[in-house]
Amino acid sequence: MIQDITLGLLNSYKETINSYDEVIDSSGQVKPYWQKFFNTLEAIGLEELEFRNQEIIKKLKENGVTYNVYDSNNESNRQWKLDTIPFLIHKSEWETIEKGLKQRATLLDLILKDIYGPQELLKNSIIPSELVFDNNGLLLPCFDIKQKLSTQLLNLACDLARGPDGKMWLLDTRTQSPSGSGYALENRIVMSKVLPEFNKKIHRSRLSPYFNDLQIAVESLGNNANENQNVVFLTPGPGNESYFEHVYLSSYLGYTLVQGTDLVVRDGFVWLKSIDQLERVDVIIKRLDDIWCDPLELKRDSLIGIPGLLQVIRLGNVAVLNNPGTAVLENYGLMAFMQNACKFLLKEPLLINSVATWWCGQKKELTFVLNNLPKLIVKKTNRKLGFRSIYGRLLNEKQLAELKEMILQSPKDFVAQEEVSLSTTPSFIDGKLVPRYAALRAFIIFDGEEYKVMPGGLTRSSYIKGKFEISNHLGGLSKDTWIITDTLNDFNQSVVERKNTNNQLSNSLTSRNAENLFWVGRMCERTMALRSFLKIILSRLNENVYNNKENGQPEFLVVLLKSLTHLTQTYPGFVGNVYDDKEDENLPSNDAIFENPIIELLSLINDSKRVGSVTYNIQALLNTINQVSEKWNHDTRRIINLVEESMIGLKNPATTNVNTVNHSLDKLHIRLFSFYGNIYETLPRDNGFYLLESGKNVERILSLISVFQSTFRYKNDDDVEGLLMEAILENHNLLAQYRNIYKSHLNLKAVINMIFLEKNLPYTLSFLLDTLAVFLSKLPKSIEPNQLSIAEKSVLEANTIVKLIDADSLIQYDEYSLMRTQLDETLTKVYNLTASVSTNLASLYFNHSVIQHSILDTLDTLNSDEI
């Protein structure tokens, strides 16, 4: 009966198979566990499966799962692609694969120790010396770099695919900073939520044991004398293609995410630059390629490494996972000699064969390669040289001749691999189940006693039929990988616990993250303040209130438009072509811009390249948010995605309708408030929170002063000032409170008293300065606890000026120039003192040391591991 039910999908898929496929066994029958999978899939149906596919896309987007793709012409965060159809392997077969992977890891560890040690493999001609000494992964400064454990290669990944013999073949090995395990975990979580039907009907191994083993490995590396080790996760930063994974894993494992500039070497130790002190680092989980790790001894122009790191490793004062030097194992040429090396070192043959590889540095192998180019794939011996694999079958006679000539010029620099027919596996593409080539990346960790293999991995498949283009940057799909068991697995894991966790939160804020959180507060408030003032102006424009001014706009609106230019500092704007401190804003400006102000206003909204515009500010905010991605929870990331959607909508040049723009600005305002409200409710009350709030209050004070000062610097007619006061009170959410408190017509003296001196309203100057002082007082001090920091002194001085103001004096104006000199001078002082807080905080908390690197562009080779 079940077979009849499954005839549809399974038979339709079988008809599309034209090579060896994962669903079919060697006798041509459907494998039992795939049969069980199709039973459940048939019950779901293709239509529902397409709906689930859209849910996967939505969840990955909400979770911020991206894979950064960079080239010379473009850079983008490419959304991670996850197939709804997983890759299935039965546990009985996986046990054989696991055994082979452990053997390969042991072999590579022995080769690594031999290359940087006695070099018996070279002396006995097991491996040609050219593959070692011409290997760009061989780092001479690393010859005396050793882990405290006997095993030196602690973490690696192997790419596998099923060959024509039905067995798994090893295609490639990653040893420097293998990536993909975080994506594998995210794939499993998303699949479990979107396709819960399989959770009950198909038993599969859990991935969590691997990450527990990783934590055990980290604990085994650290300083035994320190019962609470300081472990950091070293990332190249947001420019790296796998940055999402770095953020994800550091958060999942509970380690501090750092960049090279967050760490400094002093007195033979590595220190983390937190805002209150230097914290000694015990273990570094490295996600940089080896060559970038130490600009002092390795790549001199590296901006992402730690000067002096290698010497600290030599002294045994820090452990690194993996140590620099493992890149030597990633050389393609070594694959040709793995079988002989295994027999020499382990006295046994390889349990998992590598794809057939010929190194062209040997005469016999070179002849074979040149005579069989149409059947082979040609690669550079050394990885990361900007050389893409060449498929001989795709070349014409002229191109083959050119390839031969290129190989003959330097044979030792090339390897050739057999292009074999690998297996296909079901993929859900364009609403259909179709076969696609796939490869599995398996992850291996040494836990201090033995190698452990993740019971699963990251499978990648090609989107295009008949092509083995599985890399994500080429458009490949990822798959969840299921190790199928016949019964439900019971797993008892030993939990790694930290002992002394007191004050752990306050000790993990790096100087870089502190600065970014401060600017998240500033940029969020800056964007919201600009949006609010734009709304005030757009609503006044729509009211169609005109007087007889020659420029076609009412006088109060002209003042507001000029204030907008001052707020955004997008000169000349509405102010005019010449602006300085002596400018008389009563002088006539360019009439054309006032006759049709919408053009300038739209530019201030949707021109993302214009510094000070709404979209420019949003992009700056999103960039800063991305720098501290590890701080945000799931709900916060969803809101961030919505803010990004608002930015994309506002950027649309076709959006010129004022009502449409108003609606978009309202939506942006709600989303920004949601972002701020969410982080306010969820962030711990630590130094990061205090700095974020300080940034928000600094920006709110500066915005308030800018708008008020530019609006009332000059005396206007009473009716004009009445309209201006109403607009300013509304802009700062004080209009209703004014009417409730004063119960009178608008009066500038009363407005000044409210906006400057009211202590219980959150948008008044006095309240904001008091609040800023409170948050600054909570930050750590390097001076006596009862003394004020330089930032606190600036705020106290500004606060004193505000509290001592006399509204009667401030509203006085010069009868000739109409300028309110005292108002202008008072607000300028308060503005400058508040602005200085940003500089003061930078000197106190954001700059722990001088710049350690030369300013050179290294972004073009930041990619630590291509997925």
Side-chain angles (χ1 to χ4, degrees):
M1 183 69 178
I2 292 177
Q3 183 67 31
D4 292 336
I5 292 175
T6 59
L7 282 177
L9 285 181
L10 185 54
N11 277 357
S12 297
Y13 176 72
K14 288 169 65 176
E15 291 177 358
T16 64
I17 298 174
N18 51 22
S19 64
Y20 183 77
D21 192 87
E22 290 293 325
V23 173
I24 309 299
D25 62 20
S26 57
S27 62
Q29 301 299 312
V30 176
K31 295 176 182 177
Y33 54 92
W34 273 109
Q35 178 74 58
K36 190 174 182 180
F37 175 83
F38 270 94
N39 291 347
T40 307
L41 197 64
E42 186 74 32
I44 295 174
L46 282 181
E47 185 175 343
E48 178 64 18
L49 192 61
E50 175 59 34
F51 175 78
R52 306 289 182 88
N53 183 53
Q54 295 303 315
E55 280 294 301
I56 287 176
I57 294 172
K58 180 181 177 181
K59 282 194 174 295
L60 291 174
K61 184 176 181 181
E62 288 177 350
N63 295 351
V65 189
T66 59
Y67 182 81
N68 301 339
V69 180
Y70 294 87
D71 57 43
S72 59
N73 300 317
N74 183 39
E75 62 177 64
S76 64
N77 290 338
R78 177 176 293 175
Q79 187 172 337
W80 186 251
K81 297 178 182 178
L82 173 59
D83 196 351
T84 53
I85 308 299
F87 187 80
L88 274 56
I89 301 178
H90 195 270
K91 185 178 180 181
S92 58
E93 181 186 7
W94 182 252
E95 289 174 348
T96 302
I97 296 171
E98 187 177 42
K99 187 177 179 181
L101 289 171
K102 290 181 178 180
Q103 182 205 51
R104 183 61 66 108
T106 302
L107 174 61
L108 289 171
D109 177 62
L110 292 174
I111 292 174
L112 178 68
K113 289 186 287 189
D114 183 72
I115 289 175
Y116 286 102
Q119 299 185 342
E120 293 294 332
L121 290 169
L122 304 184
K123 295 173 183 176
N124 290 276
S125 301
I126 305 299
I127 294 177
S129 59
E130 294 93 332
L131 286 179
V132 175
F133 297 115
D134 286 344
N135 188 329
N136 62 10
L138 181 73
L139 304 177
L140 297 181
C142 295
F143 266 87
D144 55 353
I145 297 294
K146 297 289 187 294
Q147 299 278 9
K148 75 173 187 179
L149 302 175
S150 59
T151 299
Q152 297 299 299
L153 182 62
L154 304 177
N155 186 24
L156 69 153
C158 296
D159 291 338
L160 308 169
R162 197 179 301 279
D165 60 355
K167 298 180 180 180
M168 283 293 183
W169 290 13
L170 193 141
L171 305 179
D172 200 0
T173 303
R174 300 285 185 165
T175 55
Q176 297 185 75
S177 52
S179 64
S181 59
Y183 288 105
L185 179 60
E186 176 67 9
N187 285 353
R188 174 62 58 86
I189 293 172
V190 171
M191 286 286 286
S192 298
K193 291 179 179 178
V194 175
L195 292 164
E197 294 88 345
F198 293 104
N199 296 339
K200 296 180 180 179
K201 297 184 179 180
I202 296 181
H203 304 306
R204 53 191 183 267
S205 299
R206 299 169 59 188
L207 302 183
S208 56
Y210 170 82
F211 297 100
N212 188 66
D213 292 333
L214 175 57
Q215 289 181 312
I216 293 173
V218 169
E219 290 294 315
S220 69
L221 285 175
N223 182 3
N224 294 332
N226 187 353
E227 60 183 6
N228 188 25
Q229 297 182 114
N230 193 3
V231 182
V232 298
F233 199 104
L234 179 60
T235 174
N240 185 262
E241 53 193 12
S242 303
Y243 182 65
F244 161 79
E245 181 179 62
H246 304 166
V247 174
Y248 186 79
L249 283 179
S250 64
S251 176
Y252 181 82
L253 297 170
Y255 301 140
T256 303
L257 184 69
V258 300
Q259 297 180 27
T261 53
D262 296 325
L263 303 175
V264 64
V265 170
R266 290 184 184 175
D267 303 324
F269 295 94
V270 177
W271 302 87
L272 173 65
K273 296 183 286 185
S274 66
I275 69 168
D276 53 349
Q277 63 182 356
L278 292 176
E279 301 174 14
R280 180 180 164 183
V281 174
D282 298 296
V283 182
I284 299 173
I285 301 176
K286 173 178 68 71
R287 283 306 178 94
L288 311 183
D289 279 359
D290 291 350
I291 195 68
W292 299 98
C293 287
D294 186 349
L296 194 62
E297 297 193 50
L298 300 173
K299 191 172 179 61
R300 294 178 60 187
D301 60 351
S302 171
L303 300 177
I304 55 178
I306 310 161
L309 174 64
L310 293 188
Q311 182 59 21
V312 182
I313 300 175
R314 291 189 191 101
L315 295 173
N317 292 335
V318 72
V320 180
L321 183 71
N322 283 323
N323 263 343
T326 59
V328 69
L329 299 174
E330 293 188 350
N331 185 287
Y332 285 120
L334 291 177
M335 294 186 68
F337 304 94
M338 281 295 163
Q339 187 68 261
N340 291 338
C342 188
K343 292 177 181 178
F344 180 81
L345 295 172
L346 296 177
K347 312 303 180 185
E348 62 185 22
L350 288 172
L351 298 179
I352 296 181
N353 288 322
S354 303
V355 63
T357 304
W358 295 269
W359 177 54
C360 296
Q362 297 171 302
K363 186 175 180 180
K364 181 181 177 181
E365 283 72 14
L366 173 62
T367 302
F368 175 84
V369 169
L370 295 178
N371 291 335
N372 293 274
L373 277 179
K375 302 176 183 178
L376 303 174
I377 304 170
V378 176
K379 301 179 179 180
K380 280 278 191 177
T381 305
N382 283 310
R383 197 190 299 270
K384 299 287 186 187
L385 291 178
F387 184 89
R388 290 189 63 177
S389 301
I390 300 175
Y391 288 75
R393 62 179 170 83
L394 300 178
L395 306 181
N396 56 36
E397 291 185 9
K398 180 181 177 182
Q399 292 170 327
L400 285 171
E402 292 173 350
L403 179 58
K404 286 182 180 180
E405 183 179 351
M406 182 169 60
I407 294 173
L408 287 171
Q409 287 178 358
S410 184
K412 66 181 178 60
D413 292 335
F414 292 91
V415 298
Q417 293 182 331
E418 180 183 10
E419 185 178 6
V420 296
S421 176
L422 301 174
S423 69
T424 56
T425 189
S427 292
F428 188 68
I429 297 176
D430 298 331
K432 298 179 181 179
L433 287 176
V434 291
R436 291 291 186 266
Y437 291 123
L440 163 66
R441 175 166 290 186
F443 302 96
I444 308 155
I445 187 71
F446 185 78
D447 68 354
E449 297 181 0
E450 62 174 330
Y451 282 108
K452 298 289 185 66
V453 181
M454 176 190 285
L458 177 66
T459 298
R460 296 162 296 156
S461 64
S462 175
Y463 186 84
I464 303 172
K465 181 180 179 181
K467 290 190 175 183
F468 192 71
E469 295 182 351
I470 61 172
S471 177
N472 192 275
H473 82 277
L474 296 176
L477 303 172
S478 71
K479 287 175 171 286
D480 191 10
T481 305
W482 294 359
I483 308 304
I484 303 298
T485 60
D486 297 325
T487 58
L488 187 64
N489 287 322
D490 290 326
F491 172 67
N492 296 319
Q493 67 180 30
S494 55
V495 179
V496 178
E497 294 184 0
R498 295 186 177 185
K499 297 181 180 179
N500 291 335
T501 57
N502 293 335
N503 300 323
Q504 195 169 318
L505 288 173
S506 61
N507 290 335
S508 61
L509 183 65
T510 66
S511 299
R512 177 183 53 83
N513 278 355
E515 183 173 17
N516 283 315
L517 286 170
F518 175 78
W519 279 100
V520 166
R522 287 203 63 171
M523 293 311 303
C524 184
E525 180 61 31
R526 182 176 298 180
T527 308
M528 293 173 71
L530 175 55
R531 172 265 166 199
S532 296
F533 201 42
L534 279 166
K535 282 285 294 181
I536 295 293
I537 291 173
L538 289 172
S539 65
R540 266 58 178 179
L541 277 173
N542 282 339
E543 288 173 3
N544 198 27
V545 179
Y546 292 96
N547 63 7
N548 295 323
K549 290 281 289 184
E550 294 181 359
N551 54 32
Q553 298 296 344
E555 190 172 346
F556 85 94
L557 194 51
V558 172
V559 175
L560 291 178
L561 289 171
K562 289 183 178 182
S563 295
L564 178 63
T565 298
H566 289 307
L567 176 65
T568 58
Q569 298 186 16
T570 51
Y571 305 110
F574 293 105
V575 171
N577 294 323
V578 179
Y579 173 75
D580 56 39
D581 292 338
K582 298 180 181 180
E583 179 221 3
D584 185 346
E585 296 196 22
N586 287 332
L587 294 175
S589 300
N590 187 359
D591 292 348
I593 196 169
F594 291 105
E595 289 175 2
N596 189 12
I598 290 298
I599 297 175
E600 173 71 5
L601 290 173
L602 289 176
S603 175
L604 286 173
I605 293 170
N606 59 32
D607 188 352
S608 59
K609 294 182 180 180
R610 187 175 185 183
V611 179
S613 71
V614 173
T615 49
Y616 180 92
N617 289 343
I618 300 174
Q619 187 62 67
L621 171 63
L622 292 173
N623 290 341
T624 312
I625 286 172
N626 192 37
Q627 291 282 348
V628 283
S629 297
E630 69 273 21
K631 298 292 182 181
W632 318 127
N633 62 25
H634 175 71
D635 289 333
T636 308
R637 286 195 293 267
R638 291 180 62 185
I639 299 170
I640 292 168
N641 290 332
L642 293 174
V643 173
E644 187 171 8
E645 284 183 7
S646 290
M647 179 188 68
I648 295 171
L650 288 169
K651 278 183 178 181
N652 187 355
T655 307
T656 58
N657 183 278
V658 174
N659 291 329
T660 303
V661 171
N662 258 324
H663 178 72
S664 298
L665 290 174
D666 286 341
K667 188 180 292 186
L668 170 65
H669 190 65
I670 293 170
R671 290 171 175 179
L672 287 173
F673 252 118
S674 298
F675 169 73
Y676 174 70
N678 183 270
I679 60 177
Y680 185 87
E681 293 295 331
T682 58
L683 281 182
R685 268 35 179 185
D686 58 6
N687 293 327
F689 175 80
Y690 303 143
L691 283 166
L692 185 143
E693 285 292 309
S694 296
K696 181 200 77 173
N697 282 279
V698 165
E699 192 65 37
R700 188 170 291 181
I701 292 167
L702 296 179
S703 298
L704 186 154
I705 293 174
S706 175
V707 171
F708 195 92
Q709 184 177 17
S710 56
T711 303
F712 296 106
R713 178 185 286 126
Y714 293 95
K715 172 72 170 67
N716 286 282
D717 295 339
D718 291 343
D719 57 340
V720 172
E721 292 213 327
L723 293 171
L724 290 175
M725 284 185 281
E726 181 179 355
I728 298 307
L729 287 170
E730 182 181 342
N731 183 56
H732 294 97
N733 303 295
L734 296 171
L735 184 58
Q737 286 85 349
Y738 180 92
R739 289 169 174 164
N740 184 52
I741 294 172
Y742 292 96
K743 298 180 175 63
S744 64
H745 295 295
L746 294 172
N747 175 276
L748 185 56
K749 177 181 175 180
V751 169
I752 289 176
N753 282 327
M754 166 170 271
I755 292 182
F756 289 4
L757 300 177
E758 279 291 339
K759 292 184 176 182
N760 298 318
L761 298 176
Y763 278 87
T764 64
L765 201 50
S766 183
F767 178 93
L768 292 171
L769 287 166
D770 286 341
T771 305
L772 178 57
V774 170
F775 287 121
L776 292 178
S777 69
K778 295 179 179 293
L779 295 173
K781 295 182 176 67
S782 58
I783 55 178
E784 292 296 327
N786 294 327
Q787 293 185 14
L788 298 178
S789 68
I790 185 173
E792 289 178 281
K793 290 178 180 179
S794 296
V795 174
L796 177 59
E797 185 177 351
N799 211 349
T800 303
I801 292 173
V802 170
K803 286 180 168 55
L804 293 177
I805 65 168
D806 177 14
D808 287 320
S809 299
L810 294 186
I811 64 176
Q812 300 303 314
Y813 59 91
D814 181 80
E815 293 185 0
Y816 174 75
S817 65
L818 301 182
M819 184 176 185
R820 294 188 172 103
T821 304
Q822 189 169 346
L823 174 69
D824 187 58
E825 292 177 352
T826 301
L827 291 182
T828 298
K829 289 179 183 178
V830 176
Y831 186 97
N832 291 337
L833 286 167
T834 306
S836 71
V837 172
S838 185
T839 305
N840 296 336
L841 290 176
S843 63
L844 288 170
Y845 304 116
F846 308 154
N847 300 316
H848 262 256
S849 63
V850 297
I851 296 177
Q852 304 175 51
H853 312 299
S854 58
I855 307 302
L856 296 173
D857 181 17
T858 59
L859 288 177
D860 56 335
T861 48
L862 280 182
N863 300 337
S864 61
D865 185 14
E866 184 180 286
I867 297 180

